Amino acid sequence: RIGLGLMCKPPRPGATKTRLARSVGADAAAWLSRAFLMDCARAAGDAAECVGLDMVAFYRPGDAAAELGAILGPRWNLVHADAGDLGATMRETLGLLLARCPGGALLMGADVPLIDPSVIAEAARILRDGGTRDVALVPSPDGGYCLIGVRCAQAAAPLFAPMAWGGPDVLAQTLRRADAHRLTMRLLAPVRDIDDGADLAWLRAELKTRPDDAPATRAALDALASKRQGPPQPG
């Protein structure tokens, strides 16, 4: 089996999606964050049924287990993970996943509500069919990436050395590091993560062309548009 880690935080106003909150307010940003998490978990679950994935939600802060467990449900194992720096945390979580699932480990963010299960499944197949120096990567249009998969934590460790995480050069630096350390990068189709108001405007427009996708996010946006209050419910 392949391990799949979902990196997540509880949807708390003022503590989650702070860049998005500048456009929609802290309460709405938290509400949307919850919906994004639900849709990402749904996509991961669908992929798990296709290719066999051991799903783990890696969360911070340490008091968020019950809150996230209520959102994600019993299919997810919950593990607290916070090594300080984002790269160090990613390296740690991938190592934990590989200890559970030596066949490979995937790690994805929880703010890509339109990620298709087939993309996650394809990343898992790349690991399953590849070698120890293969890396699967789903880029994001902002210059970063939203999913990474590795076969060997030691081989991939240089990818997670300190850098300006969250900046526009993350993908480029990652590719340069992979080349320097003779890793084979397998790039999949880009998927947009939702960080700010421009991303949210794109998401609203994209959902009009994809009526069956991201049901929790769609419900949250519809509720915001009509000024209703309350958390989105699972579809």
Side-chain angles (χ1 to χ4, degrees), residues 39-125:
D39 285 327
C40 288
R42 174 191 292 269
D46 289 348
E49 293 180 2
C50 293
V51 294
L53 299 174
D54 184 4
M55 302 190 302
V56 181
F58 292 105
Y59 68 89
R60 61 183 177 92
D63 65 350
E67 188 174 351
L68 289 168
I71 297 171
L72 294 171
R75 295 182 65 187
W76 288 86
N77 298 302
L78 294 168
V79 176
H80 177 237
D82 187 357
D85 173 75
L86 177 59
T89 301
M90 294 171 69
R91 185 172 63 247
E92 178 181 285
T93 54
L94 286 167
L96 291 171
L97 282 171
L98 285 167
R100 297 168 62 101
C101 300
L106 301 168
L107 192 62
M108 64 178 279
D111 57 357
V112 281
L114 286 181
I115 193 167
D116 194 278
S118 64
V119 173
I120 304 171
E122 179 59 23
R125 293 188 186 101

Side-chain angles (χ1 to χ4, degrees), residues 113-116 202 205-214 218:
L114 286 181
I115 193 167
D116 194 278
W202 171 87
E206 191 71 10
L207 283 171
K208 294 178 181 178
T209 69
R210 301 171 62 168
D212 298 325
D213 293 344
R218 188 184 306 276

Side-chain angles (χ1 to χ4, degrees), residues 9-22:
K9 297 192 294 186
R12 298 173 180 173
T16 184
K17 284 293 159 195
T18 53
R19 288 168 57 192
L20 183 59
R22 297 171 195 164

Side-chain angles (χ1 to χ4, degrees), residues 6-230:
L6 183 64
M7 297 188 72
C8 53
K9 297 192 294 186
R12 298 173 180 173
T16 184
K17 284 293 159 195
T18 53
R19 288 168 57 192
L20 183 59
R22 297 171 195 164
S23 299
V24 299
D27 289 342
W31 191 2
L32 289 167
S33 177
R34 177 188 173 103
F36 298 164
L37 173 59
M38 291 164 58
D39 285 327
C40 288
R42 174 191 292 269
D46 289 348
E49 293 180 2
C50 293
V51 294
L53 299 174
D54 184 4
M55 302 190 302
V56 181
F58 292 105
Y59 68 89
R60 61 183 177 92
D63 65 350
E67 188 174 351
L68 289 168
I71 297 171
L72 294 171
R75 295 182 65 187
W76 288 86
N77 298 302
L78 294 168
V79 176
H80 177 237
D82 187 357
D85 173 75
L86 177 59
T89 301
M90 294 171 69
R91 185 172 63 247
E92 178 181 285
T93 54
L94 286 167
L96 291 171
L97 282 171
L98 285 167
R100 297 168 62 101
C101 300
L106 301 168
L107 192 62
M108 64 178 279
D111 57 357
V112 281
L114 286 181
I115 193 167
D116 194 278
S118 64
V119 173
I120 304 171
E122 179 59 23
R125 293 188 186 101
I126 287 171
L127 298 184
R128 188 165 286 150
D129 297 338
T132 58
R133 305 193 71 81
D134 282 6
V135 178
L137 201 69
V138 177
S140 53
D142 62 2
Y145 59 84
C146 61
L147 182 149
I148 188 168
V150 305
R151 283 284 306 274
C152 174
Q154 183 177 4
L159 302 181
F160 308 108
M163 71 166 80
W165 295 101
D169 298 322
V170 169
L171 177 61
Q173 289 191 57
T174 300
L175 294 177
R176 286 195 294 269
R177 291 176 177 183
D179 185 61
H181 292 274
R182 298 182 180 179
L183 298 172
T184 301
M185 302 298 289
R186 309 291 189 185
L187 298 183
L188 287 85
V191 177
R192 188 163 180 165
D193 47 7
I194 309 302
D195 289 324
D196 56 25
D199 294 328
L200 189 63
W202 171 87
L203 178 62
R204 287 192 177 103
E206 191 71 10
L207 283 171
K208 294 178 181 178
T209 69
R210 301 171 62 168
D212 298 325
D213 293 344
T217 297
R218 188 184 306 276
L221 287 170
D222 288 346
L224 285 173
S226 62
K227 301 187 184 301
R228 294 196 303 268
Q229 296 298 318

